[in-house]
Amino acid sequence: MVNSSHEAMHRIFQEYPELFSGVSEVLGVPFPPPTSVRILPTDLTEARPRPLERRVDTLLHFDTEDDGSFLLAVEAQGKKDLTKPASWAYYLAYLYSKYQCPPVLLVVCQDRATAEWAARPVHVGPRQWASLTLRPLVAGPHNMPVIRTTAEARKDLALTTLAAITHADSPDVAAILKAVSSALRETPEQLSYPLAELIAQGLGRRPAAQLWRHLMAVDLSFYTSPISKEIRDEGRAEGRADALLIVLEQRGVAVSDEARDRITRCGEPEQLRRWLARAVTAASVEDVFVEP
């Protein structure tokens, strides 16, 4: 099943295709800014002789002013997978054959070991002569910039967003998140909403996600997007769960491990509000949960 982190790592290029120019410059292989971009179908399945479904995560067609056109295939890679190099080689050969346009493969990773593995050239052919060589561009925590200031973040918000996603497990992610949250406060809502949500999606359930949720709930509290609302609801739920446990403790009402777990796992602020109201007079924790 595709997870949210995986989705964010490649979808950002669909939303902000000009990001590739900034990423390629960081990687030391600069590509010119596109004059136009098209999103292409990601299904690369050959119909004959027996269909085997193959899909690239994101596929874009770039036109440039001086360097002609090229295809960008973006793959989000969460861990080492020994079958992937063969799939990637197939993608590039298929795309070159179908579109008669040079393809480039960009692999986006969130851990250094996977990124370094993905970046190794893969020679296709016998040892005497490799007929093809697979050479992906790779963006990951080993080469994406650590953006620490609001001014830096403001220069390229999409690149900073990708940096936050790729550094999701890095000690540097806190500095990046603080920088980008400050920059987004000064950004028009129609631009800041999708970037803030991509970061939330890209961090998944990692510890850094809690910091981002806090920054969004406090620094970016004016947001009304679905994820932002969910984050604020979570904050209210956590606060009411803590208040409920404190009330029961102060009144000397015993709380079993099972009841404590039920309270802390409840993510519905209104349900917790009702439990909190009952806790003021409840003789036991079971009374808190009894619906009238």
Side-chain angles (χ1 to χ4, degrees):
M1 180 180 295
V2 176
N3 60 40
S4 59
S5 295
H6 181 281
E7 183 78 11
M9 282 193 284
H10 69 85
R11 190 165 64 85
I12 187 173
F13 289 91
Q14 296 180 24
E15 303 290 341
Y16 305 93
E18 69 280 358
L19 167 63
F20 180 63
S21 297
V23 171
S24 68
E25 187 172 345
V26 168
L27 299 181
V29 190
F31 281 71
T35 55
S36 66
V37 179
R38 285 184 290 136
I39 298 177
L40 298 179
T42 60
D43 188 349
L44 309 186
T45 302
E46 283 278 12
R48 297 173 300 189
R50 295 176 59 186
L52 175 62
E53 185 177 6
R54 296 179 185 271
R55 291 181 182 274
V56 68
D57 287 334
T58 283
L59 181 60
L60 302 172
H61 179 282
F62 285 79
D63 293 317
T64 67
E65 187 170 346
D66 299 320
D67 289 353
S69 303
F70 67 94
L71 303 176
L72 176 66
V74 184
E75 281 278 283
Q77 192 64 29
K79 61 182 179 181
K80 296 180 184 178
D81 181 347
L82 298 182
T83 67
K84 273 297 184 178
S87 296
W88 293 338
Y90 169 88
Y91 295 165
L92 295 176
Y94 177 93
L95 291 171
Y96 187 55
S97 175
K98 179 175 181 177
Y99 292 100
Q100 296 295 300
C101 187
V104 177
L105 173 63
L106 174 67
V107 181
V108 183
C109 306
Q110 289 180 297
D111 73 272
R112 187 184 184 96
T114 301
E116 291 177 345
W117 163 80
R120 293 181 301 177
V122 176
H123 304 291
V124 181
R127 63 179 179 81
Q128 292 89 344
W129 189 265
S131 298
L132 295 173
T133 299
L134 174 70
R135 297 178 60 214
L137 285 171
V138 178
H142 67 305
N143 57 14
M144 282 292 96
V146 177
I147 298 169
R148 299 180 181 276
T149 68
T150 304
E152 285 181 285
R154 198 185 297 118
K155 289 178 184 176
D156 192 332
L157 287 169
L159 181 64
T160 305
T161 297
L162 183 65
I165 292 170
T166 54
H167 282 282
D169 292 313
S170 167
D172 296 315
V173 70
I176 301 173
L177 294 178
K178 290 176 183 176
V180 72
S181 69
S182 296
L184 290 179
R185 274 187 295 173
E186 306 165 1
T187 304
E189 293 181 2
Q190 65 270 26
L191 297 177
S192 55
Y193 280 5
L195 291 168
E197 295 198 22
L198 279 167
I199 292 175
Q201 191 176 38
L203 296 177
R205 297 185 178 277
R206 293 172 171 83
Q210 294 305 315
L211 172 59
W212 185 241
R213 289 174 181 275
H214 172 75
L215 290 170
M216 287 187 74
V218 178
D219 294 349
L220 308 177
S221 58
F222 53 86
Y223 281 6
T224 58
S225 64
I227 286 184
S228 302
K229 181 179 183 300
E230 175 188 329
I231 289 169
R232 288 194 295 274
D233 286 347
E234 280 191 17
R236 285 197 292 269
E238 290 175 5
R240 287 175 182 174
D242 288 342
L244 172 53
L245 291 171
I246 290 171
V247 168
L248 293 172
E249 179 183 351
Q250 292 296 314
R251 296 190 58 244
V253 175
V255 180
S256 65
D257 290 342
E258 182 181 357
R260 183 179 297 274
D261 186 61
R262 182 176 178 182
I263 291 169
T264 56
R265 286 179 178 274
C266 180
E268 301 176 16
E270 287 306 307
Q271 178 66 74
L272 286 162
R273 183 188 63 79
R274 291 193 293 271
W275 288 349
L276 181 58
R278 293 177 205 145
V280 176
T281 57
S284 68
V285 72
E286 287 76 18
D287 293 342
V288 171
F289 302 132
V290 174
E291 296 292 340

